[in-house]
């Protein structure tokens, strides 16, 4: 019996050395170790030997079988290494092949302009606040001295969600939220998306504003003029001329419209500024005392001014874009041209 095992083992070892691929290895496994395999057949023969000798032979068979299994494992390792070696020698990297083009994203031009204005304002001491895009009628209109059915509402054709909720038509709503929660001195800006039912080359139903508000003791029209002049010169250059024209907003009194020399022609007059040499850039004014009182601020002690930029107009001037709609179409071909 012992000789039988030795003989089988030698035969197996001889065959195993010749195994040179995975297919013959698996055939080998079936032949020797499988259910119908030769080691199994030897174990079955155990019934023919006396029972007191069985454990001894059992151990001999198992040791031999273990030896074969170990060598199978080594053969597997050898075949794996061989396969990898073959693959590596066959696959070549073509270093002359053109590289794949990766597209890099960038900040949207509108947000570049917005960030530039925010940075300038923050340097001037303003704090940035943020507010909801869906506003109540109260914050968007009523508290800003625009009562229901007042003709001033026609200036802003708004999207109503319910009778009482609207897509904010101006960031001015943030004036109220700031004055309700902060105590003077207040010096904030509120940039964000705004919505109106307007649509042509220079108007889009969604657009962006940046509202500024300063409230303190003794704030006057002189402060408004100084701060806005400084801000616009920082943005457009020291040679920019600034013009203040009387205007009307229900929440400011007096109100002004602020123009700067057209950055396209430097004030000479061009099609962009319709020959006037100036571009209208923002609305501003001294906060109407009624609005201060609506927010619980004593209008005898405190005064303030507010201003509102149309950021989209800034962006189309800065990047010489013909239509505001291009800012919202998200056409990569267009956006990637703006650096
Ligand atoms: N909210 C005004 C508008 O959208 C602009 C503005 C802001 C005017 C602040 C005065 C003061 O037209």
């Amino acid at each position: 019996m012992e000789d039988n095992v030795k003989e089988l083992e030698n035969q197996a070892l001889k065959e195993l050395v010749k195994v040179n691929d995975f297919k013959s290895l698996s055939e080998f496994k079936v032949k020797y170790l499988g259910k119908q395999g030769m080691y199994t057949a030897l174990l079955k023969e155990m019934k023919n030997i006396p029972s007191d000798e069985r454990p001894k032979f059992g151990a001999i068979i198992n040791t031999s079988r273990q030896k074969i299994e170990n060598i199978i494992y080594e053969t597997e390792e050898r075949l794996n290494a061989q396969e990898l070696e073959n693959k590596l020698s066959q696959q070549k990297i073509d270093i002359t092949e053109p590289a794949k083009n990766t597209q890099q994203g960038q900040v949207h031009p509108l947000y570049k302009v917005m960030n530039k204005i925010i940075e300038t304002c923050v340097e001037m001491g303003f704090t940035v606040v943020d507010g909801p895009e869906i506003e109540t009628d109260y914050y968007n209109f009523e508290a800003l001295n625009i009562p229901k059915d007042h003709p001033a509402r026609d200036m802003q054709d708004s999207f109503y969600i319910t009778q009482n909720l609207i897509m904010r038509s101006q960031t001015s709503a943030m004036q109220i939220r700031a004055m309700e929660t902060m105590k003077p001195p207040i010096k904030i800006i509120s940039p964000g998306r705004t919505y109106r039912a307007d649509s042509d080359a220079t108007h889009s139903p969604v657009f962006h504003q940046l509202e500024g508000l300063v409230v303190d003791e003794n704030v006057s029209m002189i402060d408004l003029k100084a701060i806005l002049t400084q801000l616009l010169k920082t943005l457009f250059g020291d040679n920019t001329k600034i013009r203040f024209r009387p205007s009307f907003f229900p929440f400011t009194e007096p109100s002004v419209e602020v123009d700067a020399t057209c950055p396209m022609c430097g004030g000479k007059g061009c099609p962009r500024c319709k020959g006037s040499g100036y571009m209208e850039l923002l609305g501003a004014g001294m906060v109407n005392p009624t609005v201060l009182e609506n927010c619980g601020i004593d209008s005898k002690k405190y005064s303030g001014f507010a201003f509102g930029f149309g950021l989209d107009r800034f962006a189309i001037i800065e990047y010489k874009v013909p239509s505001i709609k291009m800012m919202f179409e998200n056409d990569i071909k267009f956006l990637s041209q703006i650096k």
Side-chain angles (χ1 to χ4, degrees), residues 156 169-170 172 175 196 209 211-212 249 251-252 283-285 306-308:
Q156 303 182 7
S169 62
Q170 49 184 346
S172 304
Q175 282 186 33
R196 285 183 207 175
Q209 284 191 339
E211 182 91 359
F249 300 103
F251 35 91
T252 48
F307 56 91

Side-chain angles (χ1 to χ4, degrees), residues 212-237:
L213 172 71
V214 175
V215 180
D216 202 352
E217 287 177 41
N218 301 321
V219 175
S220 74
M221 195 76 182
I222 295 172
D223 300 298
L224 178 154
K225 282 185 79 174
I227 294 245
L228 290 181
T229 305
Q230 176 65 46
L231 182 57
L232 293 177
K233 287 198 172 197
T234 310
L235 292 171
F236 292 114

Side-chain angles (χ1 to χ4, degrees), residues 69-277:
E69 273 174 1
N70 287 346
I71 301 181
I72 288 179
Y73 177 73
E74 280 165 21
T75 313
E76 251 162 11
E77 298 271 276
R78 172 165 62 83
L79 293 178
N80 279 334
Q82 203 172 302
E83 193 177 64
L84 182 66
E85 187 67 20
N86 287 345
K87 266 194 195 151
L88 288 177
S89 64
Q90 278 161 22
Q91 292 173 357
K92 293 222 171 58
I93 296 172
D94 180 1
I95 56 164
T96 62
E97 202 172 298
K100 281 204 182 100
N101 222 357
T102 48
Q103 275 194 335
Q104 203 179 353
Q106 58 168 352
V107 177
H108 191 282
L110 259 174
Y111 281 79
K112 277 189 193 156
V113 165
M114 189 193 271
N115 291 341
K116 189 168 153 186
I117 302 179
I118 292 175
E119 256 169 49
T120 314
C121 290
V122 168
E123 275 167 15
M124 294 171 88
F126 286 86
T127 309
V128 183
V129 298
D130 197 11
E133 285 179 30
I134 296 175
E135 265 299 3
T136 61
D137 188 90
Y138 177 77
Y139 284 109
N140 196 84
F141 286 133
E142 241 165 290
L144 284 158
N145 201 27
I146 315 175
K148 285 199 165 65
D149 303 321
H150 193 281
R153 289 205 180 198
D154 291 347
M155 288 163 82
Q156 303 182 7
D157 206 350
S158 315
F159 292 113
Y160 279 83
I161 294 171
T162 65
Q163 279 258 304
N164 198 30
L165 282 181
I166 74 170
M167 303 300 289
R168 70 174 171 194
S169 62
Q170 49 184 346
T171 37
S172 304
M174 279 309 292
Q175 282 186 33
I176 306 301
R177 288 185 180 274
M179 286 193 282
E180 275 182 356
T181 50
M182 297 172 163
K183 288 206 158 44
I186 298 171
K187 200 172 176 188
I188 54 123
I189 50 167
S190 158
R193 260 192 291 265
T194 41
Y195 305 84
R196 285 183 207 175
D198 248 349
S199 189
D200 59 35
T202 52
H203 295 90
S204 150
V206 56
F207 58 107
H208 296 73
Q209 284 191 339
L210 184 143
E211 182 91 359
L213 172 71
V214 175
V215 180
D216 202 352
E217 287 177 41
N218 301 321
V219 175
S220 74
M221 195 76 182
I222 295 172
D223 300 298
L224 178 154
K225 282 185 79 174
I227 294 245
L228 290 181
T229 305
Q230 176 65 46
L231 182 57
L232 293 177
K233 287 198 172 197
T234 310
L235 292 171
F236 292 114
D238 270 346
N239 293 334
T240 311
K241 284 201 202 90
I242 320 289
R243 187 167 80 174
F244 293 83
R245 286 181 290 114
S247 184
F248 171 79
F249 300 103
F251 35 91
T252 48
E253 183 59 39
S255 303
V256 287
E257 207 90 51
V258 187
D259 306 337
T261 34
C262 172
M264 300 285 186
C265 59
K268 288 192 198 81
C270 68
R272 170 54 92 184
C273 58
K274 300 195 182 96
S276 73

